[in-house]
């Protein structure tokens, strides 16, 4: 069993990052795209949460160094490690950690676990988080996915009058 600690070396260029970091970032973006295009609320929530988890894995792959720990040392989840390795992301770690049980229930098929608003908010938050992780790794932030989607590619949302848009928005 190993424990991770922050590295003192911060990459100066994206080419200095481990291949695993780039892979996790790509997978995070793919999960985010899936979250944005899914029509099912629980799936949107779960995919957005997984996108944040993969962005965290990318940051850990870049910054953490495994160190041996005693055998009986308790294993830590990614959110705890994120707060330790990148303290500037401590609030994000607490936020996403708090949603882990909802994600598990959504993945298990519970349709009453999360509301449409919660899923939409988490997609936006995961998108923002991915951008912050990219920036902290010395990369250019991605274009927010909402800006890259063309009309009709995301889940259709219409109000009672048949107008497209967010249901929680009051005009």
């Amino acid at each position: 069993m190993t424990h991770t600690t922050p590295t003192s070396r911060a990459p100066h260029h994206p080419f200095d990052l481990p291949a695993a970091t780039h892979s996790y970032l790509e997978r995070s973006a793919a999960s985010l795209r899936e979250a944005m295009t899914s029509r099912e609320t629980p799936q949107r929530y779960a995919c957005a949460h997984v996108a944040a988890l993969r962005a965290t894995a990318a940051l850990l792959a870049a910054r953490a160094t495994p160190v041996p720990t005693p055998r009986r040392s308790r294993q830590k989840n990614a959110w705890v490690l994120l707060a330790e390795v990148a303290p500037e992301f401590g609030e994000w770690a607490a936020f996403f950690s708090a949603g882990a049980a909802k994600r598990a229930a959504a993945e298990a098929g519970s349709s009453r676990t999360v509301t449409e608003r919660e899923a939409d908010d988490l997609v936006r938050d995961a998108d923002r988080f991915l951008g912050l992780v990219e920036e902290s790794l010395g990369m250019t932030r991605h274009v927010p996915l909402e800006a890259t989607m063309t009309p009709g590619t995301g889940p259709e949302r219409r109000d009672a009058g048949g107008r497209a848009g967010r249901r929680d928005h009051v005009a």
Side-chain angles (χ1 to χ4, degrees):
M1 174 57 52
T2 58
H3 175 70
T4 56
T5 58
T7 60
S8 57
R9 178 184 81 75
H12 297 284
H13 195 278
F15 292 122
D16 295 334
L17 295 170
T21 296
H22 291 284
S23 176
Y24 281 125
L25 289 172
E26 287 173 20
R27 293 173 65 197
S28 177
S31 292
L32 204 46
R33 276 190 300 277
E34 187 176 352
M36 293 191 76
T37 57
S38 175
R39 295 184 183 278
E40 301 298 320
T41 299
Q43 185 178 3
R44 280 200 326 272
Y45 188 94
C47 288
H49 198 273
V50 168
L53 190 57
R54 288 176 172 165
T56 295
L59 190 64
L60 293 175
R63 289 196 191 174
T65 304
V67 293
T69 59
R71 228 168 198 244
R72 295 190 183 261
S73 180
R74 189 169 183 158
Q75 200 171 24
K76 297 178 181 181
N77 70 34
W79 307 120
V80 172
L81 291 173
L82 175 63
E84 289 178 2
V85 172
E88 70 273 23
F89 287 105
E91 288 183 34
W92 283 103
F95 172 74
F96 287 117
S97 180
K102 280 188 177 187
R103 184 200 82 227
E107 287 176 329
S110 175
S111 60
R112 292 187 253 182
T113 304
V114 296
T115 65
E116 191 171 323
R117 169 85 186 249
E118 288 173 317
D120 291 345
D121 288 347
L122 191 63
V123 169
R124 281 188 293 280
D125 290 336
D127 191 25
R128 192 172 308 121
F129 178 68
L130 174 57
L132 291 170
V133 167
E134 290 167 330
E135 197 172 76
S136 78
L137 293 172
M139 301 176 76
T140 303
R141 271 183 164 195
H142 70 283
V143 175
L145 291 175
E146 287 180 352
T148 63
M149 304 240 352
T150 55
T153 60
E156 287 290 323
R157 292 191 187 85
R158 302 206 174 269
D159 64 10
R163 295 178 300 268
R166 288 178 47 186
R167 292 184 185 153
D168 61 327
H169 181 71
V170 177

